[in-house]
Amino acid sequence: METTLRGVGVSHGVAIGEVRHMGTAVLEPPAKQIPAEDAEREQGRARQAVEAVAADLIARGNLAGGEAQAVLEAQAMMAQDPELMADVERRIAVGSTAERGVYDAFAAYRALLAGAGEYLAGRVADLDDVRNRIVARLLGVPMPGVPDSDEPYVLIARDLAPADTALLDPALVLGFVTEEGGPTSHSAILARALGVPAVVALPGAGELVEGTVIAVDGSTGEIFVEPSAEKRAGLEQAAAARKAALAASSGPGATSDGHKVPLLANVGGPTDVPAAVEAGAEGVGLFRTEFLFLDDSKKAPSEDKQVEAYRKVLSAFPEGRVVVRVLDAGADKPLDFLTPGDEPNPALGVRGLRTLLDHPDVLRTQLTALAKAAEGLPVYLEVMAPMVADRTDAKAFADACREAGLQAKFGAMVEIPSAALRARSILQEVEFLSLGTNDLAQYTFAADRQVGAVSRLQDPWQPALLDLVAVSAEAAKAEGKSCGVCGEAAADPLLACVLTGLGVTSLSMGAASIPYVRSTLSKHTLAQCERAAAAARAADTADDARAAAQAVLSGE
């Protein structure tokens, strides 16, 4: 009998197939004692396993590239954490086996993270995956991961570790569903980059029986269990119609009456550029530069290395706009040489621009490298700072850009409610705004973007978040400056229309979403988008806002 479940849709498309469950976690190793003379040998085994797992994660990142590479390299750093390794060796010295020492040391660190507030608790899934991989290698058993199958399937998991999501084969994994996670979790972002339909935060997903046929709608978040032939046909027809519409849509982003809305790509490095170009991106709206700094947590990359990487991206968009975000370190992206290790709540501490202003040499080197990378290229370079709180922050960043001799527009990201509320003041110092809706939602609702339990508050359709977008866009219009969105909100085609109606001047997203947004925008006038925006802001909940906008745009 057909039943319908609802989670949070995070990646467009429809997948219909049989359920396959993620491989089970590694079993707890036995707590047996070893003779004292075996301790050194066991410590060596532990170190070798840690290094092998870290190397495997880095290799997976190199294969995947872009956003996945940055995430996996951060996991490799976690595996090699010197304090964690010292704890492992202490436990082995008093009689634990290598595998038990790893298991117990990670358990202690896990408890610290889980009790350190929601932001750090969101990293527990990544830590568990690293532990499982090390213990599996020590026990000589298969790594936990996606199931082996010769036939395509829909993957079900409690949560998906970045190492698994990054290398999913879209030819076999038709889509995936997880019990945990949120719309801006690592897995959701990587799913969109892969173009795999995905639904997260679905309670009871693990109870779906192996082999059951389900239909996953990654746009609506609906899961149809044992769908009828009629339902399957309807979903397949809708997917085919959507695919045809995408194929017919090309050119610059614009509403049906010609109002231009440049559609830009979010990229994590040079490896993301081909997909962006193929999708017809009109430039880059968010170039995350963290990937360069994750290669070595002990020191910043050289100026020459930065110039080489930046130039590869800038040269791919002649006459296009490339917006570079300077290093956003701290919180879930710690770097040993920059970020303090003892902050009680890193999300509310020294992060982003705050970190760079505390280390002006790192900021100066990056800005100088960007200036050199852009020399002689016909590209419109724009550089923005993350985590700007007020006009003082904006002025400090603009002054640093001028001192570095940067011939580019300087901008500020709006990720903190104070920046939205005082946007007009900030625009006295910079030339554009870019809304990072993922963090803006996190700080507006005090809801960690990695915690599935608060995912409803991370929904970019929340009317309070739309209010902050509107305030920012209105301030930019009053100052005659631009205001784009580079958060995941821009990847939702319906919400893209609403953002346009709120006055946003450009939209930046993962390359896979650009055709969907272009096609949907082209079907509606600017006036319709403005009416949909007003209807969404008048609602009290995210679901009601989405429904109200849909009603306006569908002519109901």
Side-chain angles (χ1 to χ4, degrees):
M1 178 176 142
E2 180 183 318
T3 56
T4 303
L5 308 173
R6 183 182 288 277
V8 178
V10 295
S11 185
H12 306 300
V14 172
I16 302 174
E18 292 188 0
V19 164
R20 293 285 183 276
H21 285 270
M22 193 75 172
T24 56
V26 176
L27 296 175
E28 180 178 347
K32 63 182 182 182
Q33 288 291 108
I34 60 168
E37 59 267 25
D38 289 348
E40 189 173 341
R41 177 176 60 83
E42 289 295 290
Q43 289 172 339
R45 288 182 64 227
R47 285 192 295 270
Q48 288 174 2
V50 165
E51 291 305 317
V53 166
D56 177 63
L57 290 168
I58 290 171
R60 286 168 177 258
N62 290 336
L63 283 173
E67 180 76 25
Q69 184 172 10
V71 172
L72 294 178
E73 287 178 348
Q75 264 196 303
M77 288 166 52
M78 184 184 288
Q80 296 170 305
D81 183 276
E83 290 186 17
L84 194 51
M85 195 63 220
D87 190 20
V88 170
E89 294 190 345
R90 281 194 297 269
R91 292 172 188 274
I92 294 173
V94 295
S96 288
T97 61
E99 48 267 34
R100 187 71 204 191
V102 168
Y103 187 89
D104 289 342
F106 272 75
Y109 192 34
R110 186 187 200 281
L112 287 174
L113 286 184
E118 286 188 347
Y119 201 92
L120 286 178
R123 298 180 65 200
V124 165
D126 288 2
L127 184 71
D128 286 347
D129 180 60
V130 171
R131 176 204 65 200
N132 290 347
R133 290 174 185 278
I134 297 171
V135 173
R137 183 169 290 274
L138 287 165
L139 291 174
V141 301
M143 291 285 177
V146 297
D148 290 328
S149 176
D150 295 329
E151 298 296 325
Y153 58 90
V154 176
L155 181 62
I156 308 295
R158 181 176 181 82
D159 201 356
L160 277 173
D164 296 313
T165 316
L167 297 182
L168 290 179
D169 181 356
L172 282 177
V173 182
L174 302 172
F176 68 76
V177 180
T178 66
E179 286 195 37
E180 299 182 353
T184 59
S185 66
H186 286 149
S187 291
I189 292 171
L190 297 179
R192 283 188 283 272
L194 286 167
V196 176
V199 171
V200 301
L202 179 71
E207 298 171 13
L208 290 167
V209 178
E210 187 91 3
T212 302
V213 174
I214 65 171
V216 179
D217 190 327
S219 299
T220 65
E222 291 175 304
I223 306 293
F224 304 97
V225 183
E226 298 287 7
S228 64
E230 183 179 359
K231 171 63 74 176
R232 291 180 65 161
L235 288 169
E236 288 169 348
Q237 287 173 6
R242 192 179 302 163
K243 187 174 181 179
L246 294 178
S249 176
S250 62
T255 59
S256 62
D257 55 342
H259 175 72
K260 292 183 179 180
V261 187
L263 303 182
L264 312 170
N266 295 342
V267 304
T271 55
D272 287 347
V273 168
V277 173
E278 184 179 351
E282 297 169 60
V284 172
L286 173 61
F287 178 7
R288 305 179 181 95
T289 57
E290 288 76 46
F291 81 102
L292 272 173
F293 291 78
L294 291 170
D295 285 345
D296 185 348
S297 67
K298 306 298 182 185
K299 64 179 187 299
S302 68
E303 182 180 300
D304 288 345
K305 183 176 181 180
Q306 292 189 54
V307 170
E308 180 184 3
Y310 301 151
R311 196 168 180 87
K312 285 179 182 176
V313 176
L314 295 175
S315 60
F317 296 94
E319 305 299 333
R321 175 187 180 202
V322 176
V323 184
V324 179
R325 180 179 70 191
V326 294
L327 176 64
D328 183 13
D332 62 341
K333 292 170 283 190
L335 292 170
D336 293 346
F337 69 95
L338 280 183
T339 49
D342 56 352
E343 286 189 300
N345 191 338
L348 301 180
V350 182
R351 176 190 170 188
L353 180 61
R354 299 168 186 174
T355 301
L356 293 174
L357 294 178
D358 280 351
H359 298 82
D361 54 324
V362 175
L363 177 59
R364 188 181 309 111
T365 298
Q366 186 171 24
L367 294 174
T368 302
L370 284 165
K372 290 183 178 179
E375 285 177 2
L377 293 179
V379 66
Y380 297 98
L381 174 63
E382 301 184 10
V383 182
M384 62 185 181
M387 300 298 292
V388 171
D390 56 15
R391 182 172 179 173
T392 300
D393 280 350
K395 183 178 187 305
F397 178 65
D399 287 346
C401 290
R402 293 187 192 96
E403 288 169 13
L406 193 62
Q407 300 298 310
K409 285 187 176 181
F410 319 140
M413 290 197 70
V414 177
E415 301 165 285
I416 303 173
S418 64
L421 296 172
R422 300 291 295 173
R424 197 157 183 181
S425 171
I426 287 172
L427 284 166
Q428 306 309 304
E429 305 293 342
V430 295
E431 298 172 81
F432 69 93
L433 301 177
S434 182
L435 289 139
T437 52
N438 304 345
D439 272 322
L440 185 57
Q442 173 170 254
Y443 292 117
T444 298
F445 297 102
D448 188 336
R449 56 190 286 190
Q450 299 294 334
V451 177
V454 292
S455 61
R456 78 171 184 85
L457 296 172
Q458 270 292 331
D459 192 327
W461 282 94
Q462 285 284 355
L465 187 64
L466 298 181
D467 287 344
L468 291 175
V469 173
V471 167
S472 303
E474 287 163 4
K477 184 178 181 180
E479 294 296 325
K481 297 179 179 180
S482 64
C483 176
V485 167
C486 64
E488 293 300 316
D492 179 336
L494 183 63
L495 186 51
C497 294
V498 167
L499 295 173
T500 299
L502 291 174
V504 166
T505 55
S506 66
L507 300 166
S508 189
M509 65 209 77
S513 298
I514 291 175
Y516 290 91
V517 172
R518 182 192 294 120
S519 175
T520 303
L521 265 179
S522 69
K523 294 180 174 66
H524 305 289
T525 65
L526 176 60
Q528 287 175 313
C529 292
E530 290 171 341
R531 288 197 296 273
R537 288 184 69 189
D540 291 319
T541 69
D543 286 343
D544 288 347
R546 185 184 291 106
Q550 180 67 65
V552 170
L553 294 177
S554 62
E556 294 176 8

